[in-house]
Amino acid sequence: MADRGEGEVLTSCSYDCGARCRLKVRVAGGRVTGIDTERGGELPLTACARGLAAQEVLYAPDRLTRPLRRTGPRGSGAFEPISWDEALDLVAGELRRVRDTHGPEALFLMNYYGNEGALHDTMRSARRFFHLFGGCTTVWGNTSLEAARFACRVTLGTEYTGNSPESLLASKLIVLWGWNPRVTRFRPYTADFLARAKAAGARIVGVDPRRSPSVAAWADAWLPIRPGTDTALLLAMGQVLIAEGLLDRGFLAAHTVGFDAFAAYLTGAADGVPKTPAWAEGITGVPAADILDLARDYGRLAPAALYTGWAPGRTAYGEQFHRAAIALSALTANIGVLGGHVGGGVDRLALGALAATLPVPPRDTPTVHVTQVYDALLHGRAGGFPSDPKLLYVVGCNLLNQFPDVNKGVRALARPEFTVVHELFLTPTARWADLVLPITHHLERDDIGQPWLGGPYCLAMNRAVEPLPETRSDLAIFTELSDRLGVADYNDASDQEWLRRFVEATPGFPAYEEFRRQGGHRVPLAKPHVAFRAQREDPANHPFPTPSGKIELFSQALADRKDPGLPPIPTYFPPWEGPDDPLAARYPLQLVSPHARTRVNSQLDNVPRLKERADDRLWLHPADAGARGIADGDRVRVQNGRGALAVRARVTDAIRPGVVSLDAGAWYRPDGDGIDQGGCVNVLTRDQRSPGGALASNTCLVEVEGAGEGESEDGGAG
């Protein structure tokens, strides 16, 4: 590892993508001059275009370099620079005023996953401060995978359910169900193993409303499905498995409870409706013959990996999709075996117990679901929420862009008496702040990168260059606020001391200096990680962590809740804003919003080189385009009762009829008429959660019409 200022520095990204990839940062004269990555090897930690763009983010001309105080109306973007002493005194005074006048619950902390690391983590650093300060109101619910977490905990007792990608090499069948790792990555090397599995003869089937880049690259067959109906297709597959005897009865008897109740629902014995492929065809739009073929393949080609992405769970009743997928894995004994897979959650790190940094002290704080943040700000206790928020504190979150129903968000962000935002750029959310505090970039900090999707390694995130003079880390900001407010014990060590403690307390790690010099630590695995291998091989000594000690196809805990939206067995519910919703007469197209290949959520949307490579067009099937007189490249307006946006159309047969797709994360940029010209899909999405807590962003009805070339890109007259 080179000295800071010259040579090559080994580090990684801090993005909320699940992976941690190797960055080789070239530094000369105290400035980053180029970035490369690791290539080759059995588990190559090869960075994508997003990670390799770090230099452009670091030196972006619009990067914030001074604290900014609002001078114009909220949302106007009118600010003036002030000193750090002024800024921190102002924040400290407002925090104290609101806490002492209205109680700590009037402080609303909206922190999320904008920066991840062992130390500089926007979830832990902010919550530690507010818990020590006396508490606050904050949020619950993971916008990416809450449905999967719920299903895994209920059915398997844990959300650590995945196999490592090497397991795919033993799979005879791989089903990419709403999973697009060519874009979302799921570790740096997942795509390599999928390509190798295909070359080794695995049959790959894609189930997705879109012929995604992953489906296009690897799938032998594509089943284009209506969004929000995935559970029905899974249930029909289960009915075929039962009808044709393609079950592993021994596994079901040894490792599951509730099969009889589940089977009664699938066969129709419970409700008079057999969940046959013909039944599912009318719901999903997938031909019954294709459903039958997939079910037979899944029952006969063993081992098989039913690999579920999280997008189908980001729907109304999305937890039922994940529960049904887990159930199918159990019916075919594809759990706890190399080449199988039980989808939904994440992998447990293969590094043993990792030491904790910046522990968050326990405190019983009131919480609001992520889909209800705007309602909580607007209505407070009068609306049934636990507090009347007076001060909004935003860290690591571009909520106005990334949470559903942006236009409601605009109204909500006008309500707090004071809003603070930590940011690198003047994002759509930051424009609504009273005070914006400029933060450091991950190349300007020392940290340790942990792949939260699992992986046998941690990476040293060695600081490449000194921070810009007027920027500070989130941790440093909260440390200084703690000093001003008399918050004891927030931070008793330097960054290096915290990280040294982490490494020295984690079993199996080398000495701290060696860890940094090597750029991290890898654990050689004797065999791929397979979740629940021990439960399968030795159930007497390794029960599943459920109340019954087995996989719960029937959950007594859910039965006891008596919630009609959360029945004890996996069940299909027609989604709101689905194809059968009466609203479809006015807004007949189902909208999905996948992740963009050039962004991490909304991060990097303002990087010109990546923006040029982004596909920020609305995917539209030729039949739907023709019926509306829309040609490829036309400017179109997408709208529903919540808002409207203008983008270009991409007319393509890579999406099923009746469905449109727009990548999430483009920055909200409304014109004078309130029509978004930036392509922010959450102008259209609905802020209603599923019964299990999923953010149902892929449950959304819209209509599309030509916008005409007379309307300019910024909404003015052409």
Side-chain angles (χ1 to χ4, degrees):
M1 183 185 70
D3 293 332
R4 289 194 188 109
E6 299 292 337
E8 182 181 86
V9 178
L10 299 178
T11 186
S12 183
C13 309
S14 65
Y15 297 128
D16 178 29
C17 64
R20 289 295 168 258
C21 307
R22 173 77 72 204
L23 297 181
K24 298 179 178 181
V25 182
R26 296 187 297 275
V27 180
R31 288 181 62 86
V32 173
T33 59
I35 300 177
D36 200 353
T37 187
E38 176 180 298
R39 306 177 198 279
E42 183 64 20
L43 293 178
L45 304 181
T46 306
C48 70
R50 291 164 285 204
L52 295 172
Q55 179 181 359
E56 293 155 84
V57 178
L58 186 68
Y59 299 128
D62 54 338
R63 185 176 166 192
L64 302 179
T65 58
R66 296 281 303 279
L68 298 176
R69 179 170 55 197
R70 179 172 62 86
T71 58
R74 281 183 177 165
S76 66
F79 292 89
E80 65 177 0
I82 60 175
S83 71
W84 271 103
D85 280 339
E86 289 178 283
L88 293 172
D89 286 346
L90 177 59
V91 176
E94 289 296 304
L95 287 167
R96 184 184 290 111
R97 176 187 69 81
V98 171
R99 183 196 62 181
D100 295 349
T101 304
H102 304 285
E105 68 275 5
L107 303 170
F108 197 106
L109 172 61
M110 186 59 255
N111 67 318
Y112 225 55
Y113 299 97
N115 189 80
E116 296 178 344
L119 178 60
H120 293 284
D121 184 275
T122 46
M123 290 298 283
R124 289 196 302 272
S125 61
R127 294 200 180 190
R128 176 176 171 84
F129 169 79
F130 277 91
H131 283 204
L132 291 171
F133 186 57
C136 62
T137 299
T138 188
V139 297
W140 74 273
N142 187 297
T143 55
S144 294
L145 70 154
E146 193 64 34
R149 295 174 70 182
F150 177 91
C152 290
R153 289 193 295 260
V154 165
T155 314
L156 299 162
T158 175
E159 60 193 76
Y160 295 105
T161 65
N163 295 354
S164 58
E166 303 96 301
S167 174
L168 295 171
L169 298 180
S171 302
K172 300 292 179 59
L173 172 71
I174 301 170
V175 184
L176 305 178
W177 203 305
W179 185 45
N180 183 18
R182 279 180 70 94
V183 170
T184 54
R185 302 278 281 170
F186 275 59
R187 302 173 204 84
Y189 40 79
T190 298
D192 291 345
F193 282 102
L194 275 166
R196 289 168 59 184
K198 181 175 178 65
R203 175 168 171 77
I204 300 180
V205 177
V207 182
D208 199 303
R210 307 159 66 243
R211 190 190 296 117
S212 70
S214 296
V215 172
W218 298 309
D220 300 292
W222 171 42
L223 277 59
I225 189 171
R226 290 175 181 142
T229 68
D230 305 81
T231 303
L233 200 157
L234 287 165
L235 296 175
M237 290 173 60
Q239 187 272 338
V240 173
L241 295 174
I242 292 173
E244 301 197 357
L246 300 174
L247 306 174
D248 191 312
R249 296 278 183 178
F251 183 90
L252 289 169
H255 300 290
T256 73
V257 294
F259 170 72
D260 289 345
F262 186 47
Y265 175 64
L266 295 181
T267 61
D271 61 1
V273 181
K275 310 306 181 292
T276 63
W279 167 83
E281 177 178 352
I283 295 169
T284 66
V286 177
D290 291 344
I291 299 173
L292 184 63
D293 287 345
L294 179 58
R296 287 171 172 166
D297 282 348
Y298 189 61
R300 294 170 178 168
L301 297 176
L306 177 56
Y307 214 123
T308 50
W310 296 328
R314 290 195 289 271
T315 56
Y317 307 103
E319 55 276 351
Q320 300 302 324
F321 161 72
H322 288 289
R323 287 207 72 205
I326 296 168
L328 254 66
S329 299
L331 264 57
T332 54
N334 277 301
I335 297 176
V337 61
L338 190 70
H341 194 78
V342 53
V346 297
D347 299 352
R348 189 178 297 278
L349 281 167
L351 292 165
L354 289 171
T357 55
L358 280 184
V360 178
R363 181 175 289 276
D364 186 16
T365 58
T367 59
V368 172
H369 189 264
V370 288
T371 61
Q372 297 178 301
V373 170
Y374 298 149
D375 283 331
L377 294 175
L378 286 167
H379 306 298
R381 286 195 172 96
F385 294 98
S387 66
D388 290 314
K390 303 296 182 182
L391 185 149
L392 175 63
Y393 207 114
V394 182
V395 186
C397 182
N398 187 8
L399 76 156
L400 184 63
N401 212 80
Q402 295 305 103
F403 286 11
D405 201 345
V406 166
N407 285 314
K408 182 189 285 188
V410 167
R411 300 192 299 274
L413 291 184
R415 293 300 293 272
E417 295 175 359
F418 192 74
T419 297
V420 184
V421 173
H422 293 198
E423 257 302 348
L424 282 164
F425 300 100
L426 202 62
T427 63
T429 303
R431 295 174 70 89
W432 284 83
D434 297 288
L435 187 68
V436 183
L437 302 179
I439 58 169
T440 53
H441 184 266
H442 63 78
L443 293 184
E444 299 169 329
R445 300 186 297 260
D446 284 305
D447 209 338
I448 294 172
Q450 305 164 261
W452 56 255
L453 277 169
Y457 67 96
C458 277
L459 293 183
M461 298 175 66
N462 294 307
R463 186 169 68 187
V465 292
E466 296 298 319
L468 295 183
E470 291 290 330
T471 63
R472 301 184 185 183
S473 70
D474 300 305
L475 178 61
I477 292 169
F478 286 123
T479 299
E480 295 201 40
L481 288 174
S482 296
D483 292 342
R484 281 170 163 78
L485 292 165
V487 176
D489 302 323
Y490 176 75
N491 185 0
D492 66 351
S494 68
D495 288 8
Q496 289 293 331
E497 290 167 333
W498 276 113
L499 296 173
R500 186 180 297 275
R501 293 176 190 174
F502 174 93
V503 170
E504 292 177 350
T506 302
F509 270 46
Y512 178 63
E513 293 301 332
E514 181 64 13
F515 173 81
R516 293 187 63 214
R517 188 191 67 78
Q518 293 177 354
H521 176 59
R522 300 197 195 198
V523 177
L525 300 181
K527 55 186 177 181
H529 171 70
V530 175
F532 309 116
R533 189 198 299 262
Q535 282 83 357
R536 178 164 182 156
E537 295 178 353
D538 186 10
N541 293 309
H542 297 279
F544 282 85
T546 58
S548 66
K550 296 186 177 184
I551 300 166
E552 300 201 346
L553 304 180
F554 177 99
S555 167
Q556 187 60 49
L558 288 182
D560 293 342
R561 287 175 65 164
K562 295 181 170 59
D563 183 339
L566 294 171
I569 59 172
T571 303
Y572 174 69
F573 294 94
W576 63 79
E577 296 203 20
D580 297 324
D581 191 319
L583 192 64
R586 185 174 182 184
Y587 302 113
L589 299 172
Q590 291 185 267
L591 171 68
V592 295
S593 46
H595 289 293
R597 63 186 179 187
T598 56
R599 291 187 286 268
V600 181
N601 300 315
S602 70
Q603 289 175 294
L604 308 174
D605 187 57
N606 61 325
V607 176
R609 181 173 61 85
L610 294 181
K611 191 66 173 175
E612 291 173 0
R613 297 176 58 186
D615 183 8
D616 287 331
R617 297 169 293 172
L618 183 82
W619 287 28
L620 190 71
H621 191 273
D624 296 319
R628 292 161 175 78
I630 294 169
D632 188 63
D634 282 357
R635 192 153 179 82
V636 297
R637 182 176 298 181
V638 193
Q639 60 193 6
N640 58 21
R642 290 177 289 272
L645 58 83
V647 290
R648 296 282 175 184
R650 178 183 177 185
V651 179
T652 174
D653 64 1
I655 191 164
R656 72 162 289 124
V659 181
V660 293
S661 173
L662 182 63
D663 283 359
W667 284 11
Y668 171 61
R669 186 165 51 87
D671 64 15
D673 297 321
I675 298 172
D676 175 46
Q677 303 294 323
C680 176
V681 74
N682 284 314
V683 167
L684 304 163
T685 53
R686 177 173 173 174
D687 59 342
Q688 180 174 345
R689 70 179 180 92
S690 78
L695 180 137
S697 55
N698 285 322
T699 298
C700 181
L701 289 175
V702 300
E703 180 57 292
V704 179
E705 62 183 23
E709 293 303 318
E711 185 177 280
S712 69
E713 300 278 331
D714 63 3

